[in-house]
Amino acid sequence: MFENTNVSWPSINSSLAKQDARNVTDRDCPKADSTTEVAVKALAYFAILLVSFVGNIFLVLVIYKNKQLRKSINYIVFNMAMSDLFAPLTIMPIKIVPIISGSYSWKVDSPQILGNTLCKLCYFLPDVSLAVSIQSLLIMSVDRFIAVVFPLSAKLISSKVRLTSILCTWIIAVAVHAPYFYTFRLTTLQNESYCISSWAPAFDHEETNRRYITATFIAFIIVPICLLALAYSSIALTLKKKFKQRKQQLSCHQHHRDRQFRKVIRLSAAIMMAFIFCMVPQLVFVFTRVFLWNWEVPPICVFRNGNAIPFSATFMMHSWSAINPCICFVFNRNYRNSLKHVLFFGRFSRMKFDLKDNQLKETKMTSIHSLRSSQSTPHSTKL
């Protein structure tokens, strides 16, 4: 959706990059970063790349290794973690290289078929990833909404339904972004190759591209944020009413179950709030650039390519793939305990568990043997 050079989603970035490419001779705004700024930007991206890759790998391993976590909302969290792995493997290195080199030109352009293939895949995969992640958030919100507002219908959302919904997120994301394989191509500008999205080879025929970008922007950012806010507002109001009514009526078992349910809601709400926090700066920037300045180069320097506002907005959006696994481990004790088991105590715990299991079996057999002996003694005496 929005990644290349200026905004975040590639289609928008590429089109805006064309506008800025026409104004490379404009000297009104200084574009060269100082050594300190370059170092800070590069380190910031290295940090979220590392956290995103390691965090999502751990999250996938934790859910995969722990059978107790392979249920309910964890299916959706697993799907989000798998999709978020594309970001550190594709778009983040592409963002780091221009920061260090100072040029947005495409570095791999020979042989041309390899350069074009990488150009298409390196923007197709992270946008599919983001679309899958956003749809997963919507599925999670619908799941929690039905469980809270319509509890009698919650049984209709079985594991099979969740898995089917997860599969649909990938199908929709791939279908929506399939045009990338046609539109993205290497284009030579001022003797340098750039990976640019264009629906037509001609430089100025961009109306179709702009309509496509606007539609995906509304469908995958504006609409989901509104739906998430509406769903979780309804959940919060419903929970507040129910907890007041049922507080005096719940048994100890029901209180425990209620606490577990609230933990799941808190995790879902935290993930949703983090998503909105990461996306709103990008939303505001893209909305301003596209709808206020009609895709033209902004008259304000700070809004131009490579400056503070576009960099900060893009960085915040990319940090979503790193923040998401961190939130899961912070808000869910089962994830933390499973991570400790996977990292440090895996083999030791299994050996300890096997030892305890054997001891329990031996104790049980001894008890059974003693019981049989005590029962047989009076019987023989009676005879």
Side-chain angles (χ1 to χ4, degrees):
M1 288 175 283
F2 314 98
E3 293 285 357
N4 196 356
T5 59
N6 224 9
V7 188
S8 174
W9 272 270
S11 309
I12 288 186
N13 286 321
S14 301
S15 298
L16 298 181
K18 290 182 180 182
Q19 299 289 341
D20 288 352
R22 298 172 179 175
N23 294 273
V24 292
T25 58
D26 182 10
R27 303 186 184 279
D28 294 338
C29 301
K31 293 187 177 181
D33 291 334
S34 66
T35 304
T36 303
E37 290 174 329
V38 170
V40 170
K41 289 180 178 180
L43 286 174
Y45 262 103
F46 271 120
I48 63 170
L49 186 154
L50 183 63
V51 173
S52 176
F53 181 75
V54 175
N56 285 296
I57 285 289
F58 283 163
L59 196 55
V60 168
L61 285 176
V62 161
I63 298 176
Y64 176 76
K65 292 285 188 180
N66 193 335
K67 292 183 179 181
Q68 294 180 350
L69 294 177
R70 299 180 202 171
K71 57 184 179 181
S72 185
I73 196 174
N74 296 311
Y75 286 133
I76 306 171
V77 174
F78 183 88
N79 187 51
M80 292 174 65
M82 287 295 295
S83 66
D84 288 341
L85 277 173
F86 285 117
L89 296 176
T90 53
I91 197 63
M92 289 187 191
I94 294 176
K95 300 297 294 185
I96 292 173
V97 171
I99 291 172
I100 297 175
S101 65
S103 172
Y104 287 99
S105 61
W106 194 255
K107 308 305 178 184
V108 183
D109 56 0
S110 181
Q112 189 173 8
I113 186 171
L114 176 62
N116 273 311
T117 301
L118 291 176
C119 170
K120 297 174 188 296
L121 288 177
C122 285
Y123 289 115
F124 172 78
L125 292 177
D127 276 9
V128 167
S129 164
L130 185 58
V132 169
S133 191
I134 292 170
Q135 292 177 86
S136 298
L137 278 175
L138 290 175
I139 294 174
M140 187 184 300
S141 66
V142 171
D143 185 284
R144 296 301 92 193
F145 177 81
I146 294 176
V148 173
V149 181
F150 304 103
L152 297 179
S153 303
K155 293 182 179 180
L156 298 176
I157 307 179
S158 60
S159 298
K160 186 176 181 180
V161 171
R162 290 189 181 95
L163 292 174
T164 303
S165 302
I166 288 171
L167 177 62
C168 289
T169 62
W170 288 93
I171 294 174
I172 293 171
V174 170
V176 169
H177 296 95
Y180 281 21
F181 289 105
Y182 168 74
T183 61
F184 273 88
R185 60 178 68 88
L186 292 182
T187 303
T188 303
L189 296 173
Q190 298 181 349
N191 297 323
E192 289 189 342
S193 296
Y194 293 88
C195 183
I196 290 177
S197 174
S198 176
W199 288 81
F203 193 84
D204 291 320
H205 294 106
E206 290 298 319
E207 189 61 31
T208 303
N209 192 32
R210 293 178 181 180
R211 290 177 180 176
Y212 171 77
I213 294 166
T214 304
T216 53
F217 176 67
I218 293 173
F220 285 98
I221 293 295
I222 297 179
V223 172
I225 287 178
C226 294
L227 292 177
L228 288 171
L230 182 63
Y232 281 98
S233 298
S234 301
I235 289 172
L237 291 174
T238 305
L239 285 176
K240 188 176 180 180
K241 293 178 182 178
K242 286 185 177 181
F243 289 156
K244 285 183 178 180
Q245 294 173 356
R246 298 167 54 189
K247 189 173 181 180
Q248 303 299 328
Q249 303 173 2
L250 295 178
S251 64
C252 293
H253 175 72
Q254 289 172 325
H255 271 299
H256 176 73
R257 187 177 178 182
D258 217 34
R259 283 196 300 269
Q260 296 297 324
F261 184 73
R262 276 182 284 177
K263 288 179 181 179
V264 174
I265 295 295
R266 281 198 294 268
L267 173 62
S268 305
I271 294 174
M272 182 270 296
M273 292 300 296
F275 169 76
I276 294 178
F277 175 76
C278 293
M279 294 299 168
V280 164
Q282 188 67 30
L283 171 65
V284 173
F285 176 66
V286 173
F287 185 88
T288 304
R289 185 75 190 266
V290 173
F291 296 101
L292 180 61
W293 290 312
N294 195 26
W295 300 79
E296 298 298 329
V297 177
I300 305 173
C301 292
V302 74
F303 280 91
R304 295 192 185 180
N305 181 32
N307 288 320
I309 290 181
F311 175 83
S312 300
T314 305
F315 178 81
M316 287 298 299
M317 195 208 67
H318 288 151
S319 66
W320 157 248
S321 61
I323 292 175
N324 184 38
C326 294
I327 288 177
C328 290
F329 285 114
V330 169
F331 280 83
N332 195 304
R333 182 181 297 176
N334 291 331
Y335 289 157
R336 295 196 300 272
N337 293 337
S338 297
L339 180 61
K340 292 177 183 178
H341 176 81
V342 170
L343 291 181
F344 305 110
F345 307 113
R347 179 175 296 180
F348 176 75
S349 297
R350 283 194 296 271
M351 292 173 61
K352 189 175 181 180
F353 176 79
D354 292 339
L355 180 61
K356 286 185 176 180
D357 190 43
N358 291 333
Q359 290 176 348
L360 288 173
K361 287 181 180 179
E362 290 177 1
T363 304
K364 186 177 179 180
M365 292 299 294
T366 304
S367 301
I368 293 174
H369 181 72
S370 301
L371 180 63
R372 287 177 177 175
S373 299
S374 62
Q375 289 177 348
S376 61
T377 302
H379 179 69
S380 57
T381 305
K382 185 177 179 180
L383 290 174

